[in-house]
Every structure is written in C-alpha cells, then in structure tokens.
Amino acid sequence: MEYKDTLLMPKTDFPMRGGLPTREPVMQQTWNDMNLYEKVLNRTKGRPTFILHDGPPYANGDLHMGHALNKVLKDMIVRHKSMTGYHAPYVPGWDTHGLPIEQALANKGVNRKEMTLAEFRKLCEKYAYEQIDTQREQFKRLGVQGDWENPYITLKPAYESRQIEVFGEMARKGYIYKGLKPVYWSPSSESALAEAEIEYQDKKSPSIYVSFDVTEGKGVVAEGTKIIIWTTTPWTIPANLGISVNPEFDYVIVDVEGTHYLIAKDLLESVATALEWASYEVIQTVKGEQMDRMVAKHPLYDRDSLVMLGDHVTNEGGTGCVHTAPGHGEEDFQVGRAYGLDVLSPIDDRGVLTAEAPGFEGLFYDKANKVITEALDAAGALEKLTFFTHSAPHDWRTKKPVIFRATAQWFASIEAFRGELLQAIKDTSFTPAWGETRLFNMVRDRGDWCISRQRVWGVPIPVFYAEDGEPILTEETIAHVSKIFREHGSTVWFEREAKELLPEGFTHPGSPNGRFVKETDIMDVWFDSGSSHQAVLDERDDLVYPADLYLEGSDQYRGWFNSSLTTSVAINGHAPYKGLLSHGFTLDGEGRKMSKSIGNVIDPAKVMNQLGADILRLWVASVDYTADVRVSDSNFKQVAEVYRKIRNTFRYLHGNVSDFNPQTDRVAYEDLREVDQYMFMKLQDLIDTVRKSYDKYDFASVYHAVNNFVSSDLSSFYLDIAKDVVYIEGTDQLHRRAMQTVMYDTLLALLKLTTPILPHTTDELWVFLTQETEESVQLTDFPEATTHASFAELRTKYQQLMLVRDDVLKALEEARNAKVIGKSLEAKVIVYVKKELLEAFDTDKVDFAQFFIVSEFTLAGLTEEAPADALKLDVASVVVTKAQGEKCERCWTISSKVGENDKHPTLCPRCADVVEKYYV
C-alpha cells in the first residue's frame, strides 16, 4: 500500500491561475445570457430601496482611469446594498449635449455653416450615440452591472421634456430672469460659461499702476491729486467708469517730488516700493467714506470716473483704489448699479474690442493690452508696468483664458432661495465629511447662475419674444413646448417657426400682428444633467426621488452636485440626494495629472487586457479614494499579488471541503474543538468589520481586513495547523469534519463578502460549490455576524496563546538556522511562560503539539525557571531540541511509538488506526 494515497489532499477544479483577461468576458456573456441583473432585482423586489443615481459621464472618447475609479466604486456600493437587504436598481446615464461634440464634428471636417441647424444637430446626436455604444461596452468590461439596455440619455425626448418642466417651474416661481450682467465669457468658445466650466491655470499678465487726476475733490481732496489704481487687465481701461474705495479705510495723500498721489494708508509702503519712490511725505489723511462721489478724469478719454464706496475693496494688495468697469466684473457691476452707472462692455463675442473703445477697435483683447499700456504711458498716466504669472480662469474645454464680459443672458437667481439651499446641504450626509463645508461655502458665496449658452447642440431655452421684444414665458407655453419635445425631441425647435411651437391660437398683447420670435440660446449643459432628478429619478417607475446617494469626483461640488441641488431645491424645496460621496482624481505614480503629451497615461483597457477587471477593481478597493489617487504599474503588481493570495486561499479552502456536505456533515458550534471555535469567532469578527466598512463606503478597510484575515488568520495559522487534521484523519472523523465546517463557512463568507469587489472570481468559484442552490453568488446575501457566550473567554485565551506561538515560531526559526532541526515537525519544544499566561495552557482542549506544528510539546514552568540555554523572547523562554523517535511515513511527525502496529511498521499509532479503519 502507498500510504501517500491514503492522505486526503485538497481536490478542486478551480484553477490556480486566474486567466482573468480571457475568462472575464466569457463570464460577462454568461451573466448577460442568464439576465443576471434582472434576476438580482427580482430577488430583492419588495425590500427597501437604495438608489445610487449615476452622474452622467460625457459621451465623448474612451474611458480613462477616473471613469474606472468612479464606476467601480458605484458598482461596489450597489452590489453591496443588493446583498444586504436592499433593492438597488442601477441606471447608468450619459450627458450628451454641449461644445465637445460640436468640436469633435468640426475636427472630423463637418462644416456647420453648410447645413441647417437641425441637420447639424442630427449629426451631433448620431455621434453621441456612437460614443455611448463604445463607452457602454467599456463600462461593462469593468464588470459593472446595471440597466445597460435602458440607460438615461440627456438627448432623449422624454428627458428634454422634463428638463423644460424644471425650467418652467423655476420661471413660475420667479427664479428665471434675463439681464445684462458680467459673466465668464470664453472668446475661444464664443459663449458664456458657468462657474462649473471654469478651471484655473497659470497665466502671464501685465501688472500696471495707472493714475487718475481728481477733477472734483468735494472739498476733501485737492483737484489735480492723482488716484492710483492697479490692474492686470489693461484692456478693460477703456471700459472704466469709476474707482472704488473702502469706506472704512484710511487713505493718505503723499507728496512725491511735488506730485500728489492718493492710496490706502495700509498699502503705502508696498506701493512706494513697487513704484520705486526714493522719498515721499504724507501730507493728508482722509477716510474712505469722505471721498464718496468725488470725480476723476479718465486717463484716455474725455470722460468722468466716479469715486464710489465698496466693501469689496481690500488692503491685501494693489493700492486700495480699485479700477471699476461695470461691464467686466461682478463686484464692479454691483457697485456700479448701486451708483446708477451704465454697463459698458466694449468687446464682442470673439474677444475683439469694439467702437466703444475708441482708438483700439478691432484689437483682440490680449493684444490690446500692449497698445493700451502704451497709450497710458503717452498720456502720462502709466506709473509702472511689470509682468507676473498668476492663476487665472480658463475655459475647461478649450484650455484658453476667459474674460468677464457683460452680455444679455438668462439667469437663475440663487439669492432668491439661497437660505433653502444652505439648509438642504445641512440636511445631507457627506462622505468625506469636509464635503459639506466645501459645498456650503460654494453655495453661500456664488452669484446667480448664468444658464444661457450661445451654442447649437443643446436644449433650447423655451422662450419666445413678442413684436415689442417682451419675453414670453408662461405656464401655457412651457407646457406646450414640453409636450412637443416629448413627442419630437428638442431639435423640433430648430425645424419649426415660432408660431408652430406655440399653442394653437396663442395671442399676446405685445404682438398685435401675431408674429413671434424664438430664443436662439441653449441651456447650460449643467442644467441638463442637473435636471436628472426629475427626468430620471421621478420619471422612471423603477427609481425613487430623492436618491439615497450621488457619487462623483470632487470637481462635482461645483458641477453636478451643485446644479442638481439648485434645481431640486428651487422646484421642490429639498436636495435630490440624501447623501453625497466624492472621490479624488487619478494621478500618475509621481502625483502628476495624466497627460498624453507627458506619456504617463495608464489606460484601464490595457490594465484589464493584461491583468483583468478584478485586479483593477481590487485596486480601487485598496486606495483611499476620498483623496487624489496615484496610479502606477507597481500599484497594480502589488494588488495582483494580494489577489493571488486571495484566489489561492479560495482554492485551498475549496480543495479541503471537496468531500464535505454542509447538509449532512456539519458539526455544531458546541461540538467544535476549541481552536475551531476560535477560528469561527475570528470569522465573525471579519464579517462584522467588513459589513460595517461597506456601510461606511470604506472599501480600503474591507480590502485590508480581508487581506489580513487571509494572510494571518488563515494562511499563517489555521490552514497551516489544519493539514495535520484534514489530510491525516479519516474522512468522517469528528475533528476533520469540525475543521471542514469552519473552512466551508469561511469560504462561503469570503466569497459573499468579496463579491462586490471581485464578482468574476467569486462567481467563477461559486459554480464549483455544488451544494449551493443559487445560480450565482450575486443572488445571495452577505452573512450576518453571530456571537456565542464563549467568545469573550476564547478571545482572551487565544490572544495569549498566539503571543506564545509567535515566540515559539521565532525559536524554531533560530533552531532551523542553527541546523538543530530541519522542518518544524522534527522539533521537541519546551516552553516556559510568564505567570499570567499559565492559565491559558491549563486545558486538555488544545493539542499544543499540533497548535505549534511540532512533534512534541512540553510546558515546563515559568520563565524565571527556564535554563540558561533557553531562548528568552517576548512572553516565553523556549528550548528547541530534536524530537526523539522515528518519523511517521504518513503524517511526518516524530514519535517513539512508530511501528507499534506490526502491520504498519512505518506508521504512528494514529495513522495506523486511520489506515486500518478506512483503507484496509
């Protein structure tokens, strides 16, 4: 008889190597064929809902690592919720309007001016759907489950119809108005921009100090005194209509070689340094409020510049006297309006100065800086010119600078319901917690929302104009346009005349001849996606409004989080979400933004083709996603190694329960050996930790908890000592079935707990669990942590035993290095412990030789009784000698009793009994 053939070695068809790049697409097709997503929803129907509302990615281009991070986080949450008592449908969406698609078509050679607007819009729609199809397959390759065949798309007629209703309700409440006001204007896009479309980049700008001669000093300041302003936008000097001072500041008039200058007292020293005044003398001090409505002369034109009081003036830089052009700044506009100034903005859509800037007409604003500065110098008003680099607003799409420019635009008033917005933020839960402060401050400080855009591809602003120019925006017209858009889509706006878009027989006092004109502007795309709570959550029967969670990148505090909050509070008085969760950006391994020009882009498709989606998903779970995340090949290699450990642990566990039937072979907790009860307790600890971590969206803690459990509790301990039982004992021997019970429960728990992260791997193994009746592990629930009265005592005892075990393992390693022993089973261990640990060894419930994986174990006394040659360690002193006796051919333990059974002269009594009972 070959005794090795009597060992119960692990048996499993679950492969050691993942082969994920090949295997995952096959599994995904299987999920699709079996309608797994529908089965998940059918199983959870009737449970409380959990709605994670998808923030729509823009339908243009392939996915990048940021997309992968975002969608995997969402998928992990939805999967977790569906396995922990919730009904969690997930409807993905796409944002499809806006400038990038217009630009993409232009780059492909499409000439917008050679076709009608409706024809061009249909090309935009076709392109958007092509991009959606591409991105959809890439998202599905990540293993993301959802209603991919019925996503929400912002260009769909039903969506556009609901968006019009949102706009109409805001208008009904008086929140929508049209006004001439400075807005962010992008000359490169020839359109107004919202704050969410602004990004900041470094820009080199001129820095000029300019003097304005006082012509009317109001008896406070002598005529001829020069007020010095400082600006970095010389091109706005032709639009200057005033100078703002702070009423609370002290201002000084200084004599510099006979010329008198006026500046803020607190800034005198810095201005004197900047202007290189060798010497100066303060001759007068006045309060800012005393200078109200003084008049100075514009340095280039025969025009007054009014001195005004403004709290926006600071003493943090400049001169304390602020150049004020109401057509080119929000604060300038507000103070100018308070003083009844005109709104002068002598610049066109392309950023070119107009005839309202005499002498500079036709100049692009950036090139006008030099010409205007030269004109100021010639006029004797330029006191200083330098250049400096600073952070300036840029168009997030074209990456080119933007300007402030007063134009007639449609606005949504924020001030009208700001208090409700701030309260809604307070009523929302935030992960991470700092998100509340960030969003609160943004909403507190933001101005009104410019919602009009001078583009073609978008949802039209549903306003008509009467013959006398009066805007027409009524409940009747809104309802009619919404109905038409639901039937035909918003392109019908560009296909029909205004009369055809109005209700039949519509009349208006401002149009006695019955003629009407349509608005040509479209809505800001943030209004599109910001209306999704109505167009998706409220529209669809399978979803609920408000959503439980919105999850996006941290840039969306100024984007989708903000616009959705604004529209929802405006029409319904509450936020569209109960919770907000944000993640950081993906950077390269050195913390740099990924860029094709730098060559540091890591493509998620490449990662999946080389390593698999489950590796990428495990990486997402491993990082602190609430901050910016570094991505590198070395990161993926480290995670791949952790995956290998997890997969091999799954395989080993499964191999050792291949002959275990949980229905007939299970051993009750009370009948488990103490060490098995301890391991069962550790499993309950893991279940509790993992469930709580998932609930807090703390996936990194899930990752570390599972990794530590697999590496320390299982591989380094339990599975190591289990070999002496599950390999050696008879098939149905109680101790073996006890360990198999714990192993089976552990395998089942690990598979379920890691399914949100590793769905391909867990489902791959699930097929081999023939005792489980569910088609997929995704059709099961997480295990619930249980507890037993003995847990507290077990925890205390085994904390002590594991400390001693650590010391014994160190002693065995030293003995191995000293050639005293080879393998640990060749050892006899004599242990001396501290007094407080003695009680842990006062038991016959633990096979300590098995526990320490040695052939012979002796507890000889207290540490102070240890002989001189004992190795003194943290909690124990240990003597390691070579065990006496023969090596059992079957279990490899050293025993003096080997050969006592004549039939089996090379076996120890235990192995001889097993062979006799099960194999003879």
Side-chain angles (χ1 to χ4, degrees):
M1 177 184 294
E2 290 285 346
Y3 290 130
K4 64 181 177 64
D5 295 335
T6 69
L7 296 174
L8 298 174
M9 302 301 289
K11 293 179 181 178
T12 179
D13 291 326
F14 181 64
M16 181 182 297
R17 292 187 175 276
L20 298 178
T22 303
R23 189 171 284 117
E24 287 172 341
V26 176
M27 296 194 69
Q28 290 168 3
Q29 186 59 51
T30 300
W31 294 344
N32 188 62
D33 293 343
M34 66 187 284
N35 294 318
L36 181 57
Y37 174 70
E38 292 300 323
K39 289 183 177 180
V40 169
L41 293 184
N42 288 335
R43 185 182 79 90
T44 60
K45 192 172 294 182
R47 292 178 172 183
T49 58
F50 182 90
I51 305 300
L52 190 160
H53 182 36
D54 189 34
Y58 195 77
N60 188 30
D62 292 324
L63 305 189
H64 52 67
M65 284 303 299
H67 288 118
L69 175 70
N70 176 268
K71 272 296 194 287
V72 169
L73 285 170
K74 291 174 180 175
D75 191 55
M76 292 193 299
I77 290 172
V78 172
R79 288 179 182 277
H80 157 245
K81 290 297 181 180
S82 74
M83 295 179 75
T84 53
Y86 292 92
H87 180 64
Y90 175 65
V91 178
W94 273 275
D95 199 2
T96 50
H97 291 129
L99 181 60
I101 286 180
E102 292 189 40
Q103 289 179 326
L105 290 179
N107 293 338
K108 293 174 70 173
V110 174
N111 189 338
R112 192 176 90 189
K113 297 178 181 177
E114 292 179 352
M115 59 189 75
T116 66
L117 295 183
E119 289 170 339
F120 180 71
R121 283 173 57 90
K122 286 174 181 176
L123 288 179
C124 289
E125 180 178 337
K126 179 175 180 289
Y127 179 85
Y129 273 116
E130 290 170 353
Q131 297 300 304
I132 288 171
D133 288 341
T134 298
Q135 291 187 357
R136 175 174 18 221
E137 293 310 307
Q138 293 172 344
F139 282 134
K140 289 167 72 174
R141 179 63 188 88
L142 286 164
V144 178
Q145 287 280 60
D147 193 357
W148 291 110
E149 300 312 310
N150 189 27
Y152 80 85
I153 301 172
T154 59
L155 62 74
K156 283 189 173 182
Y159 190 104
E160 296 175 325
S161 172
R162 291 301 297 266
Q163 182 176 334
I164 294 299
E165 291 177 12
V166 172
F167 178 89
E169 180 61 14
M170 291 178 70
R172 186 186 71 78
K173 290 186 173 182
Y175 298 153
I176 303 295
Y177 68 93
K178 191 171 189 178
L180 187 68
K181 189 175 180 182
V183 294
Y184 285 116
W185 184 271
S186 172
S188 55
S189 295
E190 296 184 30
S191 179
L193 300 180
E195 289 179 23
E197 297 170 297
I198 298 299
E199 64 181 24
Y200 284 83
Q201 299 177 17
D202 284 347
K203 179 180 183 293
K204 184 180 179 182
S205 297
S207 164
I208 61 172
Y209 290 84
V210 180
S211 57
F212 287 62
D213 291 352
V214 174
T215 56
E216 293 182 27
K218 301 292 185 183
V220 176
V221 175
E223 280 74 13
T225 300
K226 296 179 181 291
I227 302 174
I228 302 179
I229 64 94
W230 170 78
T231 183
T232 61
T233 55
W235 65 269
T236 63
I237 291 292
N240 174 277
L241 295 178
I243 299 168
S244 298
V245 297
N246 192 303
E248 301 299 322
F249 288 180
D250 287 328
Y251 287 80
V252 292
I253 295 152
V254 295
D255 183 310
V256 182
E257 297 180 357
T259 301
H260 293 175
Y261 296 101
L262 186 151
I263 54 178
K265 180 179 180 181
D266 290 346
L267 294 165
L268 172 58
E269 188 174 330
S270 62
V271 172
T273 301
L275 300 187
E276 302 177 38
W277 290 342
S279 63
Y280 57 85
E281 179 186 358
V282 175
I283 59 174
Q284 185 182 350
T285 301
V286 297
K287 206 74 173 174
E289 63 183 357
Q290 295 177 266
M291 298 189 286
D292 190 24
R293 295 188 181 275
M294 287 185 355
V295 178
K297 182 183 181 301
H298 192 286
L300 296 178
Y301 303 131
D302 186 16
R303 188 168 80 210
D304 290 340
S305 187
L306 183 67
V307 177
M308 302 171 287
L309 306 182
D311 292 334
H312 66 286
V313 179
T314 73
N315 57 7
E316 295 174 0
T319 67
C321 305
V322 176
H323 153 54
T324 303
H328 293 292
E330 174 68 24
E331 291 161 331
D332 300 45
F333 173 81
Q334 296 294 348
V335 71
R337 183 167 65 174
Y339 278 81
L341 297 183
D342 292 334
V343 179
L344 175 62
S345 182
I347 191 167
D348 67 15
D349 292 359
R350 296 171 298 122
V352 174
L353 295 179
T354 67
E356 290 184 294
F360 311 107
E361 182 180 359
L363 289 174
F364 184 64
Y365 79 94
D366 199 38
K367 295 200 181 303
N369 280 330
K370 180 180 180 182
V371 180
I372 290 170
T373 301
E374 290 172 346
L376 289 168
D377 193 24
L382 182 67
E383 301 295 334
K384 182 75 173 182
L385 165 65
T386 57
F387 292 88
F388 79 120
T389 299
H390 63 119
S391 181
H394 284 65
D395 184 329
W396 75 332
R397 295 189 181 95
T398 64
K399 309 301 180 186
K400 293 185 178 178
V402 301
I403 60 176
F404 258 106
R405 176 188 178 223
T407 59
Q409 300 288 342
W410 285 98
F411 293 89
S413 170
I414 301 300
E415 190 58 41
F417 54 99
R418 194 185 307 275
E420 291 179 75
L421 288 168
L422 296 176
Q423 184 58 50
I425 293 170
K426 292 177 182 178
D427 295 339
T428 301
S429 64
F430 286 82
T431 305
W434 52 255
E436 178 175 357
T437 301
R438 185 169 182 181
L439 185 58
F440 187 93
N441 290 347
M442 283 182 172
V443 171
R444 181 195 63 196
D445 299 337
R446 73 171 292 183
D448 287 352
W449 177 12
C450 177
I451 60 172
S452 50
R453 296 291 179 274
Q454 293 67 50
R455 307 302 309 173
V456 175
W457 178 229
V459 177
I461 291 179
V463 173
F464 300 89
Y465 295 95
E467 292 168 23
D468 63 358
E470 181 183 345
I472 300 170
L473 180 56
T474 70
E475 291 184 46
E476 181 187 11
T477 60
I478 286 291
H480 190 68
V481 171
S482 174
K483 181 173 180 290
I484 291 175
F485 280 14
R486 186 174 282 272
E487 293 173 2
H488 305 287
S490 65
T491 295
V492 71
W493 185 268
F494 300 89
E495 294 173 326
R496 298 184 184 180
E497 296 298 324
K499 192 76 173 174
E500 300 173 272
L501 295 167
L502 285 163
E504 188 173 348
F506 182 84
T507 60
H508 188 275
S511 289
N513 300 309
R515 290 194 295 269
F516 301 92
V517 176
K518 298 174 293 184
E519 173 62 73
T520 58
D521 286 356
I522 63 169
M523 290 192 214
D524 174 16
V525 291
W526 290 112
F527 203 103
D528 289 19
S529 58
S531 302
S532 64
H533 52 81
Q534 296 302 297
V536 183
L537 296 176
D538 189 64
E539 175 80 9
R540 293 179 61 137
D541 293 336
D542 55 338
L543 300 178
V544 177
Y545 166 74
D548 292 279
L549 187 68
Y550 278 30
L551 187 171
E552 299 301 328
S554 56
D555 56 332
Q556 295 309 309
Y557 287 106
R558 66 187 178 96
W560 189 55
F561 293 165
N562 207 316
S563 64
S564 299
L565 177 74
T566 301
T567 54
S568 182
V569 171
I571 67 173
N572 289 321
H574 60 78
Y577 35 69
K578 298 174 186 176
L580 281 184
L581 190 157
S582 66
H583 61 78
F585 295 100
T586 52
L587 310 173
D588 73 4
E590 298 177 21
R592 300 174 301 175
K593 184 177 179 180
M594 291 192 193
S595 167
K596 290 180 180 178
S597 60
I598 298 176
N600 63 343
V601 174
I602 293 182
D603 183 356
K606 184 178 177 182
V607 174
M608 289 188 287
N609 289 337
Q610 292 178 344
L611 298 172
D614 272 6
I615 303 293
L616 193 154
R617 295 173 66 97
L618 189 60
W619 167 78
V620 171
S622 75
V623 300
D624 175 11
Y625 64 83
T626 61
D628 289 345
V629 179
R630 295 191 180 194
V631 191
S632 67
D633 290 335
S634 63
N635 293 150
F636 287 115
K637 287 177 182 176
Q638 291 168 8
V639 170
E641 181 59 25
V642 172
Y643 172 83
R644 187 187 65 79
K645 290 178 183 177
I646 293 173
R647 183 183 181 90
N648 286 343
T649 301
F650 286 174
R651 184 173 186 270
Y652 187 79
L653 285 167
H654 183 251
N656 280 297
V657 296
S658 59
D659 63 347
F660 177 79
N661 184 332
Q663 307 305 320
T664 59
D665 300 331
R666 175 176 295 279
V667 177
Y669 175 82
E670 294 74 18
D671 298 324
L672 296 175
R673 296 182 307 161
E674 194 177 83
V675 70
D676 303 319
Q677 291 180 344
Y678 167 71
M679 198 60 215
F680 181 80
M681 181 195 73
K682 294 291 285 184
L683 175 62
Q684 304 317 303
D685 290 348
L686 175 74
I687 293 169
D688 184 59
T689 297
V690 166
R691 288 192 65 134
K692 287 177 178 175
S693 297
Y694 271 122
D695 286 341
K696 294 185 293 186
Y697 311 126
D698 184 0
F699 306 112
S701 289
V702 174
Y703 170 85
H704 290 298
V706 170
N707 186 25
N708 290 338
F709 181 78
V710 164
S711 300
S712 301
D713 295 319
L714 288 178
S715 298
S716 297
F717 171 59
Y718 193 66
L719 299 184
D720 208 13
I721 70 170
K723 296 170 186 175
D724 192 53
V725 177
V726 294
Y727 292 7
I728 306 301
E729 300 290 357
T731 307
D732 58 359
Q733 198 268 344
L734 179 62
H735 293 175
R736 184 170 186 273
R737 290 303 192 202
M739 291 197 107
Q740 284 185 310
T741 298
V742 175
M743 285 182 173
Y744 192 87
D745 287 351
T746 299
L747 176 60
L748 222 59
L750 283 173
L751 288 178
K752 293 177 180 180
L753 293 174
T754 57
T755 287
I757 301 171
L758 305 171
H760 303 92
T761 302
T762 56
D763 237 6
E764 179 191 354
L765 179 51
W766 190 262
V767 174
F768 297 102
L769 296 179
T770 55
Q771 303 297 329
E772 300 303 318
T773 57
E774 294 88 351
E775 284 183 273
S776 164
V777 68
Q778 298 172 53
L779 298 172
T780 68
D781 282 330
F782 272 18
E784 298 271 2
T786 61
T787 187
H788 287 272
S790 62
F791 277 5
E793 184 181 341
L794 276 174
R795 194 179 307 280
T796 300
K797 177 176 181 176
Y798 275 80
Q799 281 174 348
Q800 295 174 335
L801 290 179
M802 294 303 282
L803 291 174
V804 177
R805 188 172 188 270
D806 289 342
D807 279 358
V808 170
L809 292 179
K810 293 173 187 173
L812 288 170
E813 184 62 26
E814 292 221 4
R816 191 176 294 113
N817 293 336
K819 309 297 184 185
V820 174
I821 61 168
K823 296 182 181 300
S824 65
L825 282 174
E826 297 176 15
K828 173 184 177 180
V829 171
I830 304 169
V831 174
Y832 301 84
V833 298
K834 293 181 178 180
K835 185 176 181 180
E836 60 267 26
L837 301 181
L838 269 180
E839 189 177 347
F841 288 88
D842 185 19
T843 180
D844 58 0
K845 295 179 180 179
V846 181
D847 183 338
F848 286 110
Q850 193 178 85
F851 185 81
F852 294 114
I853 316 179
V854 296
S855 288
E856 192 176 344
F857 171 83
T858 300
L859 179 66
L862 299 175
T863 50
E864 53 265 31
E865 299 169 347
D869 62 344
L871 184 63
K872 294 174 176 56
L873 296 161
D874 293 338
V875 298
S877 296
V878 184
V879 177
V880 178
T881 62
K882 201 166 182 66
Q884 298 302 304
E886 299 295 325
K887 177 180 178 182
C888 173
E889 182 182 346
R890 186 169 178 271
C891 70
W892 293 6
T893 57
I894 307 296
S895 172
S896 59
K897 296 182 180 181
V898 169
E900 283 189 353
N901 188 319
D902 294 339
K903 295 179 183 178
H904 306 285
T906 60
L907 299 187
C908 67
R910 178 181 65 149
C911 285
D913 289 346
V914 171
V915 170
E916 281 294 310
K917 182 177 179 180
Y918 292 93
Y919 300 103
V920 174

